[in-house]
mmCIF file of all heavy atoms in Angstrom:
data_model
loop_
_atom_site.group_PDB
_atom_site.id
_atom_site.type_symbol
_atom_site.label_atom_id
_atom_site.label_comp_id
_atom_site.label_asym_id
_atom_site.label_seq_id
_atom_site.Cartn_x
_atom_site.Cartn_y
_atom_site.Cartn_z
ATOM 1 N N ALA A 1 95.558 27.287 -35.226
ATOM 2 C CA ALA A 1 96.696 27.052 -34.325
ATOM 3 C C ALA A 1 96.215 26.971 -32.893
ATOM 4 O O ALA A 1 95.329 27.707 -32.468
ATOM 5 C CB ALA A 1 97.716 28.190 -34.470
ATOM 6 N N ARG A 2 96.836 26.058 -32.155
ATOM 7 C CA ARG A 2 96.455 25.904 -30.750
ATOM 8 C C ARG A 2 97.095 26.986 -29.916
ATOM 9 O O ARG A 2 98.186 27.428 -30.185
ATOM 10 C CB ARG A 2 96.879 24.524 -30.235
ATOM 11 C CG ARG A 2 96.202 23.392 -30.979
ATOM 12 C CD ARG A 2 96.562 22.076 -30.320
ATOM 13 N NE ARG A 2 95.922 20.962 -30.988
ATOM 14 C CZ ARG A 2 96.022 19.714 -30.581
ATOM 15 N NH1 ARG A 2 96.725 19.426 -29.508
ATOM 16 N NH2 ARG A 2 95.415 18.741 -31.243
ATOM 17 N N SER A 3 96.368 27.382 -28.945
ATOM 18 C CA SER A 3 96.894 28.424 -28.057
ATOM 19 C C SER A 3 98.045 27.860 -27.240
ATOM 20 O O SER A 3 98.045 26.703 -26.865
ATOM 21 C CB SER A 3 95.786 28.919 -27.123
ATOM 22 O OG SER A 3 95.295 27.854 -26.337
ATOM 23 N N GLY A 4 99.017 28.755 -27.001
ATOM 24 C CA GLY A 4 100.152 28.346 -26.177
ATOM 25 C C GLY A 4 101.233 27.639 -26.958
ATOM 26 O O GLY A 4 102.224 27.219 -26.404
ATOM 27 N N GLY A 5 101.104 27.474 -28.296
ATOM 28 C CA GLY A 5 102.140 26.846 -29.094
ATOM 29 C C GLY A 5 102.299 25.373 -28.838
ATOM 30 O O GLY A 5 103.371 24.812 -29.016
ATOM 31 N N ALA A 6 101.293 24.668 -28.346
ATOM 32 C CA ALA A 6 101.398 23.242 -28.058
ATOM 33 C C ALA A 6 101.462 22.465 -29.366
ATOM 34 O O ALA A 6 100.807 22.813 -30.345
ATOM 35 C CB ALA A 6 100.188 22.779 -27.250
ATOM 36 N N PRO A 7 102.271 21.437 -29.473
ATOM 37 C CA PRO A 7 102.364 20.674 -30.700
ATOM 38 C C PRO A 7 101.054 19.973 -31.016
ATOM 39 O O PRO A 7 100.338 19.501 -30.138
ATOM 40 C CB PRO A 7 103.474 19.655 -30.388
ATOM 41 C CG PRO A 7 103.505 19.570 -28.908
ATOM 42 C CD PRO A 7 103.116 20.925 -28.396
ATOM 43 N N ALA A 8 100.738 19.946 -32.327
ATOM 44 C CA ALA A 8 99.478 19.333 -32.747
ATOM 45 C C ALA A 8 99.531 17.820 -32.644
ATOM 46 O O ALA A 8 98.503 17.164 -32.505
ATOM 47 C CB ALA A 8 99.149 19.754 -34.181
ATOM 48 N N ASP A 9 100.734 17.256 -32.744
ATOM 49 C CA ASP A 9 100.865 15.813 -32.726
ATOM 50 C C ASP A 9 100.711 15.301 -31.293
ATOM 51 O O ASP A 9 101.532 15.616 -30.424
ATOM 52 C CB ASP A 9 102.228 15.405 -33.290
ATOM 53 C CG ASP A 9 102.365 13.898 -33.412
ATOM 54 O OD1 ASP A 9 101.344 13.203 -33.208
ATOM 55 O OD2 ASP A 9 103.472 13.427 -33.714
ATOM 56 N N PRO A 10 99.681 14.517 -31.003
ATOM 57 C CA PRO A 10 99.547 14.010 -29.618
ATOM 58 C C PRO A 10 100.641 13.027 -29.253
ATOM 59 O O PRO A 10 100.879 12.776 -28.073
ATOM 60 C CB PRO A 10 98.173 13.337 -29.630
ATOM 61 C CG PRO A 10 97.911 12.996 -31.061
ATOM 62 C CD PRO A 10 98.568 14.081 -31.872
ATOM 63 N N GLY A 11 101.336 12.473 -30.247
ATOM 64 C CA GLY A 11 102.417 11.544 -29.935
ATOM 65 C C GLY A 11 103.593 12.207 -29.274
ATOM 66 O O GLY A 11 104.380 11.552 -28.575
ATOM 67 N N VAL A 12 103.739 13.535 -29.480
ATOM 68 C CA VAL A 12 104.853 14.243 -28.848
ATOM 69 C C VAL A 12 104.703 14.225 -27.328
ATOM 70 O O VAL A 12 105.657 13.972 -26.596
ATOM 71 C CB VAL A 12 104.908 15.694 -29.369
ATOM 72 C CG1 VAL A 12 105.970 16.485 -28.614
ATOM 73 C CG2 VAL A 12 105.200 15.703 -30.861
ATOM 74 N N TRP A 13 103.475 14.465 -26.858
ATOM 75 C CA TRP A 13 103.236 14.461 -25.419
ATOM 76 C C TRP A 13 103.424 13.067 -24.830
ATOM 77 O O TRP A 13 103.952 12.927 -23.719
ATOM 78 C CB TRP A 13 101.833 14.976 -25.117
ATOM 79 C CG TRP A 13 101.701 16.445 -25.286
ATOM 80 C CD1 TRP A 13 101.041 17.122 -26.257
ATOM 81 C CD2 TRP A 13 102.296 17.441 -24.460
ATOM 82 N NE1 TRP A 13 101.159 18.475 -26.105
ATOM 83 C CE2 TRP A 13 101.920 18.712 -24.985
ATOM 84 C CE3 TRP A 13 103.088 17.402 -23.312
ATOM 85 C CZ2 TRP A 13 102.329 19.907 -24.418
ATOM 86 C CZ3 TRP A 13 103.499 18.601 -22.745
ATOM 87 C CH2 TRP A 13 103.116 19.827 -23.296
ATOM 88 N N SER A 14 103.017 12.067 -25.558
ATOM 89 C CA SER A 14 103.190 10.705 -25.046
ATOM 90 C C SER A 14 104.662 10.349 -24.940
ATOM 91 O O SER A 14 105.085 9.708 -23.973
ATOM 92 C CB SER A 14 102.457 9.707 -25.939
ATOM 93 O OG SER A 14 102.990 9.702 -27.240
ATOM 94 N N ARG A 15 105.455 10.786 -25.917
ATOM 95 C CA ARG A 15 106.893 10.524 -25.848
ATOM 96 C C ARG A 15 107.533 11.272 -24.683
ATOM 97 O O ARG A 15 108.416 10.742 -23.998
ATOM 98 C CB ARG A 15 107.562 10.918 -27.159
ATOM 99 C CG ARG A 15 107.285 9.954 -28.315
ATOM 100 C CD ARG A 15 108.219 10.196 -29.471
ATOM 101 N NE ARG A 15 108.014 11.522 -30.055
ATOM 102 C CZ ARG A 15 107.163 11.783 -31.033
ATOM 103 N NH1 ARG A 15 106.414 10.801 -31.536
ATOM 104 N NH2 ARG A 15 107.041 13.003 -31.529
ATOM 105 N N ARG A 16 107.078 12.504 -24.467
ATOM 106 C CA ARG A 16 107.627 13.269 -23.345
ATOM 107 C C ARG A 16 107.275 12.620 -22.012
ATOM 108 O O ARG A 16 108.096 12.573 -21.097
ATOM 109 C CB ARG A 16 107.093 14.697 -23.389
ATOM 110 C CG ARG A 16 107.658 15.531 -24.541
ATOM 111 C CD ARG A 16 107.092 16.944 -24.516
ATOM 112 N NE ARG A 16 107.641 17.752 -25.595
ATOM 113 C CZ ARG A 16 107.283 19.020 -25.825
ATOM 114 N NH1 ARG A 16 106.387 19.602 -25.039
ATOM 115 N NH2 ARG A 16 107.826 19.688 -26.818
ATOM 116 N N LEU A 17 106.050 12.141 -21.914
ATOM 117 C CA LEU A 17 105.646 11.478 -20.674
ATOM 118 C C LEU A 17 106.447 10.205 -20.442
ATOM 119 O O LEU A 17 106.838 9.890 -19.313
ATOM 120 C CB LEU A 17 104.147 11.171 -20.712
ATOM 121 C CG LEU A 17 103.208 12.384 -20.615
ATOM 122 C CD1 LEU A 17 101.765 11.937 -20.781
ATOM 123 C CD2 LEU A 17 103.396 13.104 -19.284
ATOM 124 N N ARG A 18 106.686 9.447 -21.523
ATOM 125 C CA ARG A 18 107.487 8.224 -21.378
ATOM 126 C C ARG A 18 108.914 8.552 -20.958
ATOM 127 O O ARG A 18 109.496 7.868 -20.106
ATOM 128 C CB ARG A 18 107.478 7.435 -22.686
ATOM 129 C CG ARG A 18 106.161 6.717 -22.975
ATOM 130 C CD ARG A 18 106.352 5.655 -24.042
ATOM 131 N NE ARG A 18 106.804 6.239 -25.292
ATOM 132 C CZ ARG A 18 105.994 6.648 -26.270
ATOM 133 N NH1 ARG A 18 104.679 6.548 -26.119
ATOM 134 N NH2 ARG A 18 106.476 7.158 -27.382
ATOM 135 N N ASN A 19 109.486 9.601 -21.554
ATOM 136 C CA ASN A 19 110.845 9.987 -21.173
ATOM 137 C C ASN A 19 110.906 10.441 -19.722
ATOM 138 O O ASN A 19 111.836 10.101 -18.984
ATOM 139 C CB ASN A 19 111.342 11.099 -22.095
ATOM 140 C CG ASN A 19 111.537 10.640 -23.527
ATOM 141 O OD1 ASN A 19 111.734 9.447 -23.777
ATOM 142 N ND2 ASN A 19 111.470 11.561 -24.470
ATOM 143 N N ALA A 20 109.896 11.229 -19.304
ATOM 144 C CA ALA A 20 109.870 11.678 -17.906
ATOM 145 C C ALA A 20 109.704 10.506 -16.954
ATOM 146 O O ALA A 20 110.346 10.445 -15.897
ATOM 147 C CB ALA A 20 108.740 12.690 -17.705
ATOM 148 N N ALA A 21 108.850 9.543 -17.342
ATOM 149 C CA ALA A 21 108.664 8.363 -16.493
ATOM 150 C C ALA A 21 109.950 7.543 -16.407
ATOM 151 O O ALA A 21 110.279 6.997 -15.350
ATOM 152 C CB ALA A 21 107.524 7.509 -17.027
ATOM 153 N N THR A 22 110.699 7.482 -17.509
ATOM 154 C CA THR A 22 111.957 6.735 -17.500
ATOM 155 C C THR A 22 112.959 7.348 -16.538
ATOM 156 O O THR A 22 113.754 6.641 -15.905
ATOM 157 C CB THR A 22 112.546 6.694 -18.919
ATOM 158 O OG1 THR A 22 111.588 6.120 -19.812
ATOM 159 C CG2 THR A 22 113.814 5.868 -18.955
ATOM 160 N N VAL A 23 112.925 8.684 -16.405
ATOM 161 C CA VAL A 23 113.878 9.359 -15.526
ATOM 162 C C VAL A 23 113.407 9.353 -14.075
ATOM 163 O O VAL A 23 114.201 9.162 -13.152
ATOM 164 C CB VAL A 23 114.091 10.817 -16.015
ATOM 165 C CG1 VAL A 23 114.979 11.580 -15.047
ATOM 166 C CG2 VAL A 23 114.710 10.819 -17.408
ATOM 167 N N VAL A 24 112.110 9.543 -13.851
ATOM 168 C CA VAL A 24 111.595 9.756 -12.495
ATOM 169 C C VAL A 24 111.246 8.450 -11.795
ATOM 170 O O VAL A 24 111.526 8.277 -10.599
ATOM 171 C CB VAL A 24 110.365 10.687 -12.545
ATOM 172 C CG1 VAL A 24 109.738 10.814 -11.167
ATOM 173 C CG2 VAL A 24 110.753 12.049 -13.089
ATOM 174 N N LEU A 25 110.649 7.516 -12.508
ATOM 175 C CA LEU A 25 110.137 6.316 -11.852
ATOM 176 C C LEU A 25 111.214 5.444 -11.212
ATOM 177 O O LEU A 25 111.020 4.987 -10.078
ATOM 178 C CB LEU A 25 109.311 5.497 -12.847
ATOM 179 C CG LEU A 25 107.907 6.027 -13.139
ATOM 180 C CD1 LEU A 25 107.193 5.108 -14.124
ATOM 181 C CD2 LEU A 25 107.095 6.148 -11.855
ATOM 182 N N PRO A 26 112.342 5.156 -11.873
ATOM 183 C CA PRO A 26 113.331 4.271 -11.231
ATOM 184 C C PRO A 26 113.797 4.744 -9.860
ATOM 185 O O PRO A 26 113.781 3.966 -8.904
ATOM 186 C CB PRO A 26 114.479 4.222 -12.255
ATOM 187 C CG PRO A 26 113.813 4.470 -13.564
ATOM 188 C CD PRO A 26 112.725 5.444 -13.278
ATOM 189 N N PRO A 27 114.234 6.030 -9.697
ATOM 190 C CA PRO A 27 114.639 6.431 -8.339
ATOM 191 C C PRO A 27 113.495 6.421 -7.339
ATOM 192 O O PRO A 27 113.706 6.128 -6.158
ATOM 193 C CB PRO A 27 115.191 7.857 -8.537
ATOM 194 C CG PRO A 27 114.624 8.321 -9.823
ATOM 195 C CD PRO A 27 114.473 7.111 -10.669
ATOM 196 N N MET A 28 112.272 6.725 -7.792
ATOM 197 C CA MET A 28 111.135 6.694 -6.875
ATOM 198 C C MET A 28 110.856 5.276 -6.402
ATOM 199 O O MET A 28 110.601 5.044 -5.213
ATOM 200 C CB MET A 28 109.897 7.283 -7.557
ATOM 201 C CG MET A 28 109.967 8.775 -7.820
ATOM 202 S SD MET A 28 108.458 9.410 -8.586
ATOM 203 C CE MET A 28 107.257 9.027 -7.321
ATOM 204 N N ILE A 29 110.934 4.318 -7.316
ATOM 205 C CA ILE A 29 110.681 2.924 -6.948
ATOM 206 C C ILE A 29 111.761 2.413 -6.001
ATOM 207 O O ILE A 29 111.468 1.770 -4.977
ATOM 208 C CB ILE A 29 110.589 2.051 -8.211
ATOM 209 C CG1 ILE A 29 109.344 2.450 -9.032
ATOM 210 C CG2 ILE A 29 110.534 0.577 -7.848
ATOM 211 C CD1 ILE A 29 109.257 1.738 -10.371
ATOM 212 N N VAL A 30 113.024 2.710 -6.329
ATOM 213 C CA VAL A 30 114.119 2.259 -5.466
ATOM 214 C C VAL A 30 114.018 2.885 -4.084
ATOM 215 O O VAL A 30 114.221 2.212 -3.056
ATOM 216 C CB VAL A 30 115.473 2.588 -6.128
ATOM 217 C CG1 VAL A 30 116.620 2.303 -5.165
ATOM 218 C CG2 VAL A 30 115.650 1.783 -7.406
ATOM 219 N N THR A 31 113.692 4.181 -4.030
ATOM 220 C CA THR A 31 113.547 4.854 -2.741
ATOM 221 C C THR A 31 112.408 4.257 -1.921
ATOM 222 O O THR A 31 112.534 4.043 -0.712
ATOM 223 C CB THR A 31 113.309 6.352 -2.948
ATOM 224 O OG1 THR A 31 114.392 6.906 -3.712
ATOM 225 C CG2 THR A 31 113.207 7.075 -1.616
ATOM 226 N N ALA A 32 111.286 3.979 -2.591
ATOM 227 C CA ALA A 32 110.147 3.389 -1.879
ATOM 228 C C ALA A 32 110.491 2.011 -1.333
ATOM 229 O O ALA A 32 110.142 1.677 -0.189
ATOM 230 C CB ALA A 32 108.943 3.307 -2.815
ATOM 231 N N VAL A 33 111.192 1.207 -2.124
ATOM 232 C CA VAL A 33 111.588 -0.127 -1.654
ATOM 233 C C VAL A 33 112.555 -0.015 -0.476
ATOM 234 O O VAL A 33 112.445 -0.752 0.513
ATOM 235 C CB VAL A 33 112.203 -0.924 -2.816
ATOM 236 C CG1 VAL A 33 112.802 -2.240 -2.305
ATOM 237 C CG2 VAL A 33 111.160 -1.217 -3.891
ATOM 238 N N PHE A 34 113.502 0.925 -0.583
ATOM 239 C CA PHE A 34 114.463 1.123 0.503
ATOM 240 C C PHE A 34 113.761 1.531 1.796
ATOM 241 O O PHE A 34 114.055 1.001 2.883
ATOM 242 C CB PHE A 34 115.496 2.172 0.097
ATOM 243 C CG PHE A 34 116.398 2.604 1.211
ATOM 244 C CD1 PHE A 34 117.416 1.780 1.657
ATOM 245 C CD2 PHE A 34 116.231 3.846 1.827
ATOM 246 C CE1 PHE A 34 118.256 2.169 2.691
ATOM 247 C CE2 PHE A 34 117.054 4.243 2.854
ATOM 248 C CZ PHE A 34 118.067 3.407 3.286
ATOM 249 N N LEU A 35 112.823 2.479 1.704
ATOM 250 C CA LEU A 35 112.097 2.921 2.890
ATOM 251 C C LEU A 35 111.236 1.807 3.474
ATOM 252 O O LEU A 35 111.114 1.686 4.706
ATOM 253 C CB LEU A 35 111.228 4.131 2.550
ATOM 254 C CG LEU A 35 111.976 5.427 2.208
ATOM 255 C CD1 LEU A 35 110.995 6.511 1.803
ATOM 256 C CD2 LEU A 35 112.840 5.886 3.378
ATOM 257 N N LEU A 36 110.665 0.992 2.606
ATOM 258 C CA LEU A 36 109.846 -0.121 3.085
ATOM 259 C C LEU A 36 110.687 -1.132 3.848
ATOM 260 O O LEU A 36 110.307 -1.594 4.937
ATOM 261 C CB LEU A 36 109.128 -0.783 1.913
ATOM 262 C CG LEU A 36 108.231 -1.983 2.252
ATOM 263 C CD1 LEU A 36 107.117 -1.558 3.194
ATOM 264 C CD2 LEU A 36 107.666 -2.603 0.971
#
């Protein structure tokens, strides 16, 4: 077992990263364009 209870499936982390990018990237891009 991995320390810290991390899931063994590496696809779980990739899905989490994609979900986080879906939430964070759009407002960051819009804000950057607005400031520019």
